[in-house]
Amino acid sequence: MKKLWGGRFTKSAEEWVDEFGASISFDQELVQEDLEGSIAHVTMLASAGIISKDEAAKIKGGLNVLKQKAEQGELQYSVKLEDIHLNLESMLTEIVGPVGGKLHTARSRNDQVATDMHLYLRSEVGQIIQFVQELQKALLEKAEEHVETLMPGYTHLQRAQPISFGHHLMAYFWMLQRDKERLIESLKRINISPLGAGALAGTTFPIDRMQTADLLGFDGIYENSLDAVSDRDFILEFLSNSSILMMHLSRLSEEFILWSSQEFQFIELDDSFATGSSIMPQKKNPDMAELIRGKTGRVYGNLVGLLTVLKGLPLAYNKDMQEDKEGMFDTVKTVAGSLKIFAGMVSTMKVKKQQMEKATRTDFSNATELADYLSDKGIPFREAHEIVGKLVLLCVEKGCYLGDLPLEEYKNAHFQFNEDIYEVLDPANAVQRRNSAGGTGFKQVEAAIEKAKTILNHNEEHAVL
Ligand code: ARG
């Protein structure tokens, strides 16, 4: 097969060399974007008088045929034709004849491929933003059901202070809100057009870059042709935003894995998101959460991979840059899949409320309450801390919890302790009283949920897409 760029060559590469250089096996993912870009380009060529209206109409006709065929999965790609751009150009010429060769006037594959990827990411990031929103909704609904469900809050994975389970879930809502904001913000940089930058230097033809940008729904154009064809930081930004997002999902995965263990028994994942063991009949494994935790690694890998590909490249295009695609496609699939699974996992999980609450009664996570109690009565907090520390030690020696100690012991420790300490020690009271802004107090959690709902609705109404 003759290469589309074969003019100055006397000998063709062997098949295995072609295969090594080809990107068609993966960049066919960009087929629709490539055709859209071409349609805009050819429209502009005609309005600028670079090709005739008639020629443009023929070419567009052919491109639309290809669009339909692509949708129906009827296109047959060839490795010999290297990539999606050359494959489509050759198919076009087969349909419309030699006039198809005019499509590439005033354009290079360098600005073409960059345009395709901007279009691709714009729509995929839009999708991912929706999926983040869905997961936020699932978390919000669960949180609303569990404002007053008590659980031990941890630091260092040691029981620290009792909290509301709803509050814990809402922590992830806000992380995801920032992830979503980062993605929305990145659209500003994704949604600019490199088209018309040519191979690197612009073109001698009287093209109208704003027209193609408008036709493709871009907000503006790259100011510098070299930058336009060399920039991959819009992809890096996506990979980096995705890495942070996956890190959040991975932490929640880890918590789900812990919570669904026999040791915690705080939640039970729905059967539809768990798997069994081929040997141990009793097993119910949190595979999906584990996989998401694991897949976080490959998203980080994709980010570091592309950073490394780009770090030594001189301007402008270098073939190294063909390596930008697989990691991007993989990340889109991984992040979208993980978010979808997570939303399902959250809304179907069973929260073992009693088990969680029991945990808050069989630990020392109410010790801070006692220290606060004394300092409320004017005893310096440090001193109160020491007194309560001793009481905890006493309990440890006796094999009981703070609520089990008779008042007498409290009186021995400090005369300011009174009968009302037992109420103070109650975990529900402990949570309720943490009414500082952003705290776990039920009122605060309810207010946060209301605020979150408003934000979510607002985001939905002002969907960036
Ligand atoms: N397949 C190429 C890529 O993905 C398209 C751009 C090729 N440009 C070139 N000058 N060889 O990077």
Side-chain angles (χ1 to χ4, degrees):
M1 193 182 287
K2 190 180 171 310
K3 295 278 199 287
L4 270 72
W5 39 253
R8 62 102 61 223
F9 287 75
T10 52
K11 184 166 120 184
S12 51
E14 286 185 51
E15 209 175 306
W16 60 274
V17 178
D18 275 345
E19 242 165 62
F20 187 78
S23 52
I24 187 63
S25 64
F26 50 88
D27 67 11
Q28 51 184 274
E29 180 96 31
L30 297 170
V31 60
Q32 290 296 352
E33 286 79 4
D34 200 73
L35 290 165
E36 271 166 43
S38 289
I39 291 171
H41 180 65
V42 85
T43 307
M44 181 279 291
L45 288 180
S47 31
I50 299 167
I51 62 172
S52 74
K53 300 254 180 282
D54 194 42
E55 290 168 329
K58 280 194 189 122
I59 296 175
K60 267 200 242 178
L63 291 169
N64 280 320
V65 170
L66 290 175
K67 254 181 148 318
Q68 263 179 8
K69 286 195 170 189
E71 236 158 65
Q72 271 135 34
E74 283 170 10
L75 296 182
Q76 296 276 330
Y77 301 110
S78 154
V79 171
K80 281 265 165 225
L81 286 164
E82 203 179 319
D83 57 24
I84 187 66
H85 325 293
L86 299 178
N87 268 273
L88 290 174
E89 190 181 323
S90 140
M91 290 177 199
L92 175 71
T93 306
E94 257 169 52
I95 299 174
V96 301
V99 69
K102 293 208 170 189
L103 169 65
H104 212 52
T105 315
R107 187 176 73 168
S108 152
R109 274 187 295 159
N110 297 348
D111 56 343
Q112 187 180 357
V113 71
T115 304
D116 292 0
M117 289 189 297
H118 278 272
L119 290 172
Y120 170 83
L121 266 193
R122 183 179 68 190
S123 95
E124 295 299 336
V125 167
Q127 270 285 318
I128 289 174
I129 290 169
Q130 295 295 342
F131 292 146
V132 174
Q133 182 100 348
E134 292 300 314
L135 175 53
Q136 282 183 297
K137 222 184 272 173
L139 285 165
L140 191 65
E141 277 165 18
K142 265 286 155 209
E144 211 170 6
E145 286 169 34
H146 292 285
V147 172
E148 298 198 5
T149 301
L150 304 178
M151 75 179 283
Y154 295 81
T155 63
H156 313 266
L157 201 56
Q158 304 289 323
R159 303 237 181 124
Q161 290 173 347
I163 54 170
S164 139
F165 183 57
H167 191 53
H168 195 125
L169 291 179
M170 284 304 287
Y172 286 94
F173 174 95
W174 298 111
M175 291 176 221
L176 289 168
Q177 181 62 22
R178 292 192 295 278
D179 290 330
K180 192 171 69 183
E181 282 167 13
R182 267 185 285 271
L183 289 166
I184 292 173
E185 156 76 13
S186 76
L187 284 169
K188 213 160 71 186
R189 285 170 289 280
I190 292 173
N191 205 26
I192 43 173
S193 173
L195 195 57
L200 74 163
T203 172
T204 54
F205 291 97
I207 59 167
D208 182 352
R209 290 189 62 202
M210 275 317 293
Q211 189 189 347
T212 45
D214 281 346
L215 287 170
L216 293 169
F218 285 121
D219 292 328
I221 59 173
Y222 274 86
E223 296 294 337
N224 180 298
S225 62
L226 291 166
D227 182 32
V229 292
S230 304
D231 173 34
R232 294 295 181 267
D233 50 59
F234 69 104
I235 304 179
L236 285 175
E237 194 176 346
F238 166 66
L239 297 175
S240 136
N241 290 339
S242 298
S243 295
I244 299 175
L245 168 57
M246 288 301 290
M247 176 275 292
H248 287 149
L249 296 188
S250 187
R251 292 184 77 169
L252 187 53
S253 297
E254 172 67 12
E255 304 213 272
F256 277 21
I257 293 161
L258 284 173
W259 294 344
S260 55
S261 70
Q262 192 73 33
E263 283 67 21
F264 278 77
Q265 297 183 51
F266 285 180
I267 60 169
E268 185 177 343
L269 295 175
D270 193 71
D271 281 2
S272 48
F273 293 99
T275 52
S277 153
S278 56
I279 167 171
M280 298 161 282
Q282 84 285 9
K283 288 296 284 286
K284 181 168 171 183
N285 296 327
D287 278 28
M288 295 302 134
E290 291 170 87
L291 252 185
I292 291 168
R293 187 178 58 184
K295 282 178 188 291
T296 302
R298 67 196 271 166
V299 173
Y300 293 2
N302 292 336
L303 169 64
V304 176
L306 185 58
L307 280 168
T308 314
V309 164
L310 294 172
K311 74 179 271 295
L313 298 186
L315 298 184
Y317 179 84
N318 301 269
K319 184 75 167 178
D320 316 44
M321 287 157 79
Q322 185 166 285
E323 288 294 306
D324 59 2
K325 288 175 201 58
E326 285 156 292
M328 174 179 74
F329 296 143
D330 183 70
T331 301
V332 163
K333 284 192 187 90
T334 305
V335 172
S338 305
L339 285 166
K340 274 201 321 208
I341 293 275
F342 235 116
M345 217 156 50
V346 169
S347 41
T348 58
M349 74 182 180
K350 208 166 88 201
V351 179
K352 297 183 172 171
K353 202 170 156 172
Q354 265 139 24
Q355 202 64 31
M356 268 191 200
E357 298 205 2
K358 195 171 128 205
T360 65
R361 290 174 203 284
T362 47
D363 66 11
F364 291 100
S365 64
N366 49 3
T368 315
E369 305 316 302
L370 279 188
D372 285 352
Y373 176 95
L374 285 183
S375 43
D376 234 14
K377 303 203 167 195
I379 292 126
F381 186 79
R382 253 324 121 229
E383 216 175 289
H385 185 288
E386 172 79 15
I387 294 166
V388 178
K390 293 230 164 74
L391 284 168
V392 170
L393 190 61
L394 181 68
C395 286
V396 172
E397 281 161 7
K398 285 178 169 256
C400 69
Y401 297 106
L402 286 167
D404 305 326
L405 279 184
L407 187 60
E408 208 184 305
E409 297 281 11
Y410 282 107
K411 286 279 186 204
N412 284 345
H414 201 282
F415 75 97
Q416 292 276 32
F417 278 126
N418 285 315
E419 188 65 49
D420 59 348
I421 49 163
Y422 294 104
E423 203 134 293
V424 166
L425 282 172
D426 186 79
N429 290 333
V431 175
Q432 177 133 28
R433 281 201 309 271
R434 285 194 161 57
N435 204 24
S436 53
T440 190
F442 303 136
K443 282 218 170 67
Q444 288 298 322
V445 180
E446 269 162 15
I449 289 176
E450 281 317 305
K451 188 167 185 183
K453 271 191 199 163
T454 313
I455 291 176
L456 216 50
N457 288 338
H458 181 270
N459 286 165
E460 216 158 49
E461 280 165 26
H462 297 80
V464 255
L465 318 165

